[in-house]
Amino acid sequence: MASGDLTPHVASGDLTPRRTAALLAALAVVSVATKLGFAWRFDGFASGDDLEVVETALAHSTGFDYIPWSLRSLFHPVVLVAPILAAVARLGPLSPHLATFLAAVPTALFSTAAILLVYAVARSLECSREVAVAAALLSAAHWLPWAYGGTPYPRPISTALFLGAVLLATARRRPVLWGGLAGFLVAAACAVRFSEGVLLVPVLAYAWVHSRDARRIGGIAAGFAAGAVLLLGLFDLWTWGRPFASLSEFVRIMHSGSPPPSATGEKPWYHYAANVLRWTGPVHLVLILVAARDRRVRLPLAMAAAIVVLLSFFRYKQYRYLQAAIPFVSISAAIGWDRLRSRTPRIAAVALALAAAYGASASVVLLRGKSQPAVAAARFLAAMNPPPRSVALEQAWAYGERLYLPRVWIRDIPPSRPLEPAAIAEAVSGADAAAFYSNDLDAVSRRVLAAAGMRIDGAFHRDDGKPVTVFRRATD
C-alpha cells in the first residue's frame, strides 16, 4: 500500500463476517472472564475511590451505614452497582469480599462492550475487518482497560458510553435524533465521572468532521443538555436533596486552590505528554509510529490527542483517567499493524502477541500492588476475640474501613515514612489494636508502640501490596 493511501489494506485472506463475529465473541468472552477473575483474586483496594463505590452501593442496597464524599455523583454506584448487590443480598448476607467483587461486575461488562464498540468505530472509519479486529484486540489487551476493567473503578464504564456516543454522532439517518442520543450518552459518561464531560468536545468535532451538519451538532448539544438536567440535576435532587449538588461541590473542592482531603496525583500540565510511553504502552506506540505517514491515522490520533490535552487541564492526573483515549490509540496502532503486515506478516503477528503479553503483565503488576495485605489484616482484626472496639489504621481505606470493620471505631493515620512518633502515640491512645505499613515503622515508632502497651500480633504479606503489621494492646 502506498504511503498516504486512504484505502484500507485488504488482503486476500480478509475475514468473513461469520469469522469476524466468532473472533470478537471469543475476545469478549476471554476479556470478561479474565476481568472477573481479576476482581475475585485481587480483593484489595487501589486508592479508596474503588472502596467508595462499594460502600455507596451497599448504602443504597442493603442499608449499610455510609455517607459518600459530597463531590460524588452517585449515578454509577446507585444505578449500576446497587441493583446487583440488592439482588444477590436476597440470597443471603453479602460478605465484604463478595460485595467488592460484585461491584466490579458492571465495570467488567461495560469495558468488554467497549471492545466491540472499538471494532464498530474502526469500521466506521472505513478500516477493513482485519484492521478493526486488530484494533479491538489491541484495545482489549491494553493494560488500562484490562486491569481497571476488573475493579469497581468507573472510567471503563464512561469510556463505553463515550464510544457509543461517537458511533451515534455519525449515524447516517436521522441526525438530530441519533445526535441527541449521542449527547445524552456523553452526559451519562459525565455523570459516571465529572471529568468525562470534556468528551463532549471531541464528539462534536468528530461529528463535524464526518458530516458538516449543523443539525447533527445541535442535536448532540441538546442531548447533552437534556442528559445533564436529568442525570446530574434531577438525579442529584433525588440522591443529595439539591439539583447539581455534587457537581457544585466538585467545582468548589477540586478547584479551591488547595488539595482536597484524600486527593493525590496533582501533576504539571505536561505530565501525560512527558509519560506517553508509560500509558500508551511500548508496542502500541511503536505501531503508531509505523502508521505515522498513513492518512487513515490522522482522525483517530487527533481524537486521542484531543482527549489527552483536555484532561491535561485538570489539576489531578492519574493514568487511569486517560482510558477514553485508549480506543483511538488502539485504532491508530491497528493501522500501523496493517502497514506492518503488508510488508512482514510474521512480525505483525509477533507485535500483536507482544502487545497482549505486555498488557497482561502490566495488568497483573498493577493489581498485585493493591492493598491485599491490608485487607488480610482487616479480616484478622475483625476475627479477634474479644473483638476490638477501636483501632488505629494507617491509611484506613486500604483496609476497607467499615466494610470489613463495621462496628469498630477507626482512627485514620495519614501515611508517612517513617511515621511520626507523636501521631502514633495519639492514634493508639485508648485503642485496642492498630495496623501500620511495616516499611513505615522504624525503631523509634516501634518503641513508641511498645511504650503505649501495643504488641505485635501478626504480619501480613500478599502479592506486591505494602506489607502490614498488626498490633494488639497487651493485657495483664
Side-chain angles (χ1 to χ4, degrees), residues 15-40:
L15 295 172
T16 64
R18 180 175 294 181
R19 191 176 180 195
T20 299
L23 285 173
L24 290 174
L27 183 59
V29 168
V30 170
S31 180
V32 75
T34 55
K35 290 167 187 170
L36 293 176
F38 288 159
W40 185 262

Short mmCIF file of all heavy atoms in Angstrom, two decimals, residues 15-40:
data_model
loop_
_atom_site.label_atom_id
_atom_site.label_comp_id
_atom_site.label_asym_id
_atom_site.label_seq_id
_atom_site.Cartn_x
_atom_site.Cartn_y
_atom_site.Cartn_z
N LEU A 15 -11.10 -11.31 6.61
CA LEU A 15 -12.05 -12.07 7.42
C LEU A 15 -13.45 -12.01 6.83
O LEU A 15 -13.89 -10.96 6.36
CB LEU A 15 -12.07 -11.52 8.83
CG LEU A 15 -10.77 -11.65 9.64
CD1 LEU A 15 -10.89 -10.89 10.95
CD2 LEU A 15 -10.47 -13.12 9.91
N THR A 16 -14.17 -13.11 6.92
CA THR A 16 -15.58 -13.12 6.57
C THR A 16 -16.38 -12.59 7.74
O THR A 16 -15.90 -12.60 8.88
CB THR A 16 -16.04 -14.55 6.25
OG1 THR A 16 -15.91 -15.34 7.44
CG2 THR A 16 -15.20 -15.16 5.14
N PRO A 17 -17.61 -12.12 7.50
CA PRO A 17 -18.42 -11.65 8.62
C PRO A 17 -18.61 -12.70 9.72
O PRO A 17 -18.58 -12.38 10.91
CB PRO A 17 -19.76 -11.29 7.95
CG PRO A 17 -19.39 -10.94 6.54
CD PRO A 17 -18.25 -11.87 6.20
N ARG A 18 -18.80 -13.95 9.33
CA ARG A 18 -19.02 -15.00 10.33
C ARG A 18 -17.78 -15.21 11.19
O ARG A 18 -17.86 -15.32 12.41
CB ARG A 18 -19.41 -16.31 9.64
CG ARG A 18 -19.65 -17.47 10.61
CD ARG A 18 -20.15 -18.71 9.90
NE ARG A 18 -21.47 -18.48 9.33
CZ ARG A 18 -22.17 -19.39 8.66
NH1 ARG A 18 -21.66 -20.61 8.49
NH2 ARG A 18 -23.36 -19.10 8.16
N ARG A 19 -16.62 -15.27 10.54
CA ARG A 19 -15.40 -15.48 11.30
C ARG A 19 -15.07 -14.25 12.17
O ARG A 19 -14.57 -14.38 13.28
CB ARG A 19 -14.23 -15.77 10.36
CG ARG A 19 -13.00 -16.25 11.12
CD ARG A 19 -11.88 -16.63 10.18
NE ARG A 19 -10.72 -17.08 10.91
CZ ARG A 19 -9.51 -17.21 10.41
NH1 ARG A 19 -9.31 -16.93 9.12
NH2 ARG A 19 -8.50 -17.62 11.14
N THR A 20 -15.37 -13.08 11.65
CA THR A 20 -15.18 -11.86 12.43
C THR A 20 -16.02 -11.90 13.71
O THR A 20 -15.53 -11.60 14.81
CB THR A 20 -15.56 -10.62 11.61
OG1 THR A 20 -14.71 -10.55 10.46
CG2 THR A 20 -15.41 -9.36 12.42
N ALA A 21 -17.28 -12.28 13.55
CA ALA A 21 -18.17 -12.37 14.72
C ALA A 21 -17.64 -13.39 15.72
O ALA A 21 -17.68 -13.16 16.94
CB ALA A 21 -19.58 -12.73 14.28
N ALA A 22 -17.13 -14.51 15.22
CA ALA A 22 -16.59 -15.55 16.12
C ALA A 22 -15.37 -15.04 16.87
O ALA A 22 -15.23 -15.27 18.08
CB ALA A 22 -16.25 -16.79 15.31
N LEU A 23 -14.48 -14.33 16.17
CA LEU A 23 -13.28 -13.81 16.82
C LEU A 23 -13.64 -12.76 17.88
O LEU A 23 -13.08 -12.75 18.98
CB LEU A 23 -12.35 -13.20 15.78
CG LEU A 23 -11.59 -14.19 14.90
CD1 LEU A 23 -10.84 -13.45 13.80
CD2 LEU A 23 -10.61 -15.01 15.74
N LEU A 24 -14.57 -11.87 17.55
CA LEU A 24 -14.98 -10.84 18.51
C LEU A 24 -15.65 -11.46 19.72
O LEU A 24 -15.44 -11.03 20.87
CB LEU A 24 -15.90 -9.83 17.84
CG LEU A 24 -15.24 -8.91 16.81
CD1 LEU A 24 -16.29 -8.06 16.11
CD2 LEU A 24 -14.19 -8.01 17.47
N ALA A 25 -16.48 -12.49 19.48
CA ALA A 25 -17.15 -13.16 20.60
C ALA A 25 -16.12 -13.84 21.50
O ALA A 25 -16.22 -13.75 22.74
CB ALA A 25 -18.15 -14.19 20.07
N ALA A 26 -15.14 -14.50 20.90
CA ALA A 26 -14.10 -15.16 21.70
C ALA A 26 -13.30 -14.13 22.49
O ALA A 26 -12.98 -14.34 23.67
CB ALA A 26 -13.19 -15.97 20.78
N LEU A 27 -12.99 -13.02 21.84
CA LEU A 27 -12.24 -11.96 22.51
C LEU A 27 -13.03 -11.40 23.69
O LEU A 27 -12.48 -11.17 24.78
CB LEU A 27 -11.92 -10.85 21.52
CG LEU A 27 -11.08 -9.67 22.02
CD1 LEU A 27 -9.73 -10.14 22.52
CD2 LEU A 27 -10.90 -8.65 20.89
N ALA A 28 -14.33 -11.21 23.50
CA ALA A 28 -15.18 -10.69 24.58
C ALA A 28 -15.26 -11.67 25.73
O ALA A 28 -15.19 -11.27 26.91
CB ALA A 28 -16.57 -10.37 24.04
N VAL A 29 -15.40 -12.95 25.43
CA VAL A 29 -15.50 -13.96 26.50
C VAL A 29 -14.22 -14.02 27.31
O VAL A 29 -14.23 -14.04 28.55
CB VAL A 29 -15.84 -15.35 25.89
CG1 VAL A 29 -15.66 -16.44 26.93
CG2 VAL A 29 -17.26 -15.35 25.35
N VAL A 30 -13.09 -14.05 26.61
CA VAL A 30 -11.80 -14.09 27.31
C VAL A 30 -11.62 -12.83 28.16
O VAL A 30 -11.16 -12.89 29.31
CB VAL A 30 -10.64 -14.25 26.31
CG1 VAL A 30 -9.29 -14.06 27.00
CG2 VAL A 30 -10.70 -15.61 25.64
N SER A 31 -11.99 -11.69 27.59
CA SER A 31 -11.82 -10.43 28.30
C SER A 31 -12.65 -10.38 29.57
O SER A 31 -12.14 -10.07 30.66
CB SER A 31 -12.19 -9.25 27.39
OG SER A 31 -12.04 -8.03 28.06
N VAL A 32 -13.93 -10.67 29.47
CA VAL A 32 -14.78 -10.57 30.66
C VAL A 32 -14.41 -11.64 31.69
O VAL A 32 -14.45 -11.39 32.90
CB VAL A 32 -16.27 -10.66 30.27
CG1 VAL A 32 -16.69 -12.07 29.92
CG2 VAL A 32 -17.15 -10.09 31.37
N ALA A 33 -13.99 -12.81 31.22
CA ALA A 33 -13.60 -13.87 32.16
C ALA A 33 -12.35 -13.48 32.94
O ALA A 33 -12.28 -13.68 34.17
CB ALA A 33 -13.37 -15.18 31.41
N THR A 34 -11.36 -12.92 32.25
CA THR A 34 -10.14 -12.53 32.96
C THR A 34 -10.41 -11.37 33.92
O THR A 34 -9.86 -11.34 35.03
CB THR A 34 -9.04 -12.13 31.97
OG1 THR A 34 -9.52 -11.11 31.08
CG2 THR A 34 -8.58 -13.33 31.16
N LYS A 35 -11.26 -10.43 33.53
CA LYS A 35 -11.56 -9.30 34.41
C LYS A 35 -12.30 -9.76 35.67
O LYS A 35 -12.01 -9.29 36.78
CB LYS A 35 -12.39 -8.26 33.66
CG LYS A 35 -11.60 -7.52 32.59
CD LYS A 35 -12.53 -6.75 31.68
CE LYS A 35 -11.79 -6.16 30.51
NZ LYS A 35 -12.68 -5.61 29.48
N LEU A 36 -13.25 -10.66 35.51
CA LEU A 36 -13.94 -11.19 36.68
C LEU A 36 -12.98 -12.00 37.54
O LEU A 36 -13.08 -11.99 38.78
CB LEU A 36 -15.14 -12.03 36.25
CG LEU A 36 -16.28 -11.25 35.58
CD1 LEU A 36 -17.37 -12.21 35.11
CD2 LEU A 36 -16.87 -10.21 36.53
N GLY A 37 -12.05 -12.71 36.90
CA GLY A 37 -11.03 -13.41 37.66
C GLY A 37 -10.16 -12.44 38.43
O GLY A 37 -9.82 -12.68 39.61
N PHE A 38 -9.77 -11.34 37.80
CA PHE A 38 -9.01 -10.31 38.50
C PHE A 38 -9.79 -9.78 39.70
O PHE A 38 -9.24 -9.60 40.79
CB PHE A 38 -8.72 -9.14 37.56
CG PHE A 38 -7.70 -9.41 36.50
CD1 PHE A 38 -7.65 -8.62 35.35
CD2 PHE A 38 -6.78 -10.45 36.62
CE1 PHE A 38 -6.70 -8.85 34.36
CE2 PHE A 38 -5.83 -10.68 35.63
CZ PHE A 38 -5.80 -9.88 34.50
N ALA A 39 -11.07 -9.49 39.49
CA ALA A 39 -11.89 -8.91 40.55
C ALA A 39 -11.99 -9.83 41.76
O ALA A 39 -12.02 -9.37 42.91
CB ALA A 39 -13.29 -8.59 40.02
N TRP A 40 -12.05 -11.13 41.51
CA TRP A 40 -12.17 -12.09 42.62
C TRP A 40 -10.82 -12.31 43.30
O TRP A 40 -10.74 -12.36 44.53
CB TRP A 40 -12.72 -13.42 42.12
CG TRP A 40 -12.96 -14.39 43.23
CD1 TRP A 40 -12.15 -15.41 43.64
CD2 TRP A 40 -14.10 -14.41 44.09
NE1 TRP A 40 -12.72 -16.07 44.71
CE2 TRP A 40 -13.91 -15.49 45.00
CE3 TRP A 40 -15.26 -13.64 44.19
CZ2 TRP A 40 -14.84 -15.79 45.99
CZ3 TRP A 40 -16.19 -13.94 45.18
CH2 TRP A 40 -15.98 -15.00 46.06
#
